[in-house]
């Protein structure tokens, strides 16, 4: 396994697929048997709150950072091997947070999970810069569009100022017949090209279906690219589409008699979201990426 286990997924510009990348990398590694935690560190404009079904009194990262809850209280099991720590959406809760507490949160999750992905907000502010320095490495996400690439340069500079390091660049929504050199974009940013995610019509369909792309259309080009990226990042074999489908069938057969059962708490103490709630919730999270 790579010595880098905590990754900040960042972009200088919104709408480039940052949250989608976070969700699919995490899901792919979870399918490979790794224990994964996804943390929404965008304290001001949270979008992973939709990843779980939250009631008005549900605990979030905001409560943890204000000292009102533990990390366990705000950790929600999504499915096998993957949990989410969402931020709240209330401005009042945001005002009570102390972003510096994120350091302890990351340290605790690092000890408990194989991989931790920090979904970082766009823009320039303290809570955006802080995760860039806390992570072992930062993954820049951008489309090939000039404006997005330009903003990625700013994020790279912010990472350096925060004392962090950049693992490399992931380009999303790439086109096979484009005359744009993806390697040249990475070279201009003075970083490594980690991978490209091709434009895929099923990506938007997966958002509205409320399912990560690697599960919704596992044999599609974008899903295959995310699995390849996850495998390269972690140095592990990520199950291919056929293996994932076979496991899903077996799981369905084994749990058919338990289909009406909902668990409030996961095996390791994390709160567990009901399957139907997760389906609709992921739609909200990914559509904001």
């Amino acid at each position: 396994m790579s010595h880098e286990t905590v990754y900040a997924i960042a972009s200088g510009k919104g709408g480039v697929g940052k949250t989608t990348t976070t969700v699919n990398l995490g899901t792919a590694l979870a399918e490979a048997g790794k224990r994964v935690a996804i943390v929404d560190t965008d304290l001001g404009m949270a979008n992973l709150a939709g990843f779980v079904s939250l009631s008005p009194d549900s605990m979030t990262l905001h409560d943890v950072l204000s000292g009102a809850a533990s990390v366990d209280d705000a950790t929600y099991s999504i499915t096998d091997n993957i949990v989410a720590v969402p931020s709240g959406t209330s401005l009042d809760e945001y005002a009570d947070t102390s972003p510096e507490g994120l350091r302890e949160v990351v340290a605790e999750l690092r000890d408990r999970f194989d991989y931790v992905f920090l979904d970082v907000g766009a823009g320039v502010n303290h809570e955006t810069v802080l995760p860039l320095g806390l992570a072992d490495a930062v993954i820049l996400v951008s489309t090939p569009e000039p404006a997005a690439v330009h903003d990625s340069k700013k994020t790279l500079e912010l990472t350096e100022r925060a004392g962090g390091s950049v693992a490399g660049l992931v380009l999303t929504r790439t086109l096979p017949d484009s005359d744009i050199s993806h390697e040249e974009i990475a070279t201009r940013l003075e970083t490594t090209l980690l991978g490209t995610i091709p434009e895929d019509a099923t990506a938007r369909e997966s958002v509205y279906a409320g399912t990560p792309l690697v599960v919704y259309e596992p044999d599609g080009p974008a899903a295959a690219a995310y699995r390849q990226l996850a495998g390269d990042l972690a140095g592990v074999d990520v199950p291919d589409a056929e293996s994932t489908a076979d496991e899903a069938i077996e799981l369905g057969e084994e749990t058919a008699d338990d289909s009406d059962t909902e668990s409030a708490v996961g095996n390791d103490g994390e709160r567990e979201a009901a399957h139907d709630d997760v389906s609709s919730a992921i739609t909200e999270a990914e559509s904001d990426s």
Side-chain angles (χ1 to χ4, degrees), residues 118-189:
L118 309 178
D119 190 15
V120 182
V124 181
N125 52 55
H126 182 54
E127 56 263 30
T128 295
V129 176
L130 183 61
L132 303 179
L134 293 179
D136 295 329
V138 175
I139 297 175
L140 297 176
V141 179
S142 176
T143 65
E145 297 300 319
V149 174
H150 178 73
D151 286 345
S152 293
K153 179 65 174 178
K154 296 178 183 177
T155 303
L156 192 150
E157 293 172 354
L158 285 174
T159 300
E160 293 175 348
R161 294 187 182 187
S165 62
V166 174
L169 172 70
V170 173
L171 287 175
T172 61
R173 300 171 187 168
T174 59
L175 300 173
D177 56 351
S178 173
D179 57 358
I180 297 174
S181 170
H182 303 143
E183 289 286 354
E184 184 178 334
I185 291 175
T187 299
R188 289 209 310 269
L189 292 173

Side-chain angles (χ1 to χ4, degrees), residues 18 39-49 60-63 65 85-99 102 119-129 131 284 288:
K18 174 178 57 64
V39 186
D40 190 347
T41 64
D42 189 352
L43 303 179
M45 298 291 287
N47 58 18
L48 277 180
T60 69
L61 183 60
H62 282 176
D63 297 296
L65 298 182
V85 181
S87 283
T89 56
S90 166
L91 290 179
D92 290 336
E93 292 175 348
Y94 168 65
D96 293 334
T97 62
S98 174
L102 186 62
D119 190 15
V120 182
V124 181
N125 52 55
H126 182 54
E127 56 263 30
T128 295
V129 176
E284 178 182 338
D288 288 337

Side-chain angles (χ1 to χ4, degrees), residues 7 9 19-28 30 35-41 47-48 51 61 74-76 78 81-87 109 113 115-119 212:
Y7 288 94
I9 313 298
T19 297
T20 298
T21 296
T22 305
V23 169
N24 281 284
L25 283 180
T27 303
R35 288 273 294 161
V36 178
I38 295 176
V39 186
D40 190 347
T41 64
N47 58 18
L48 277 180
F51 211 96
L61 183 60
T75 301
Y76 297 82
I78 300 303
N81 297 328
I82 187 168
V83 303
V85 181
S87 283
L109 294 174
F113 293 89
Y115 289 92
V116 179
F117 291 100
L118 309 178
D119 190 15

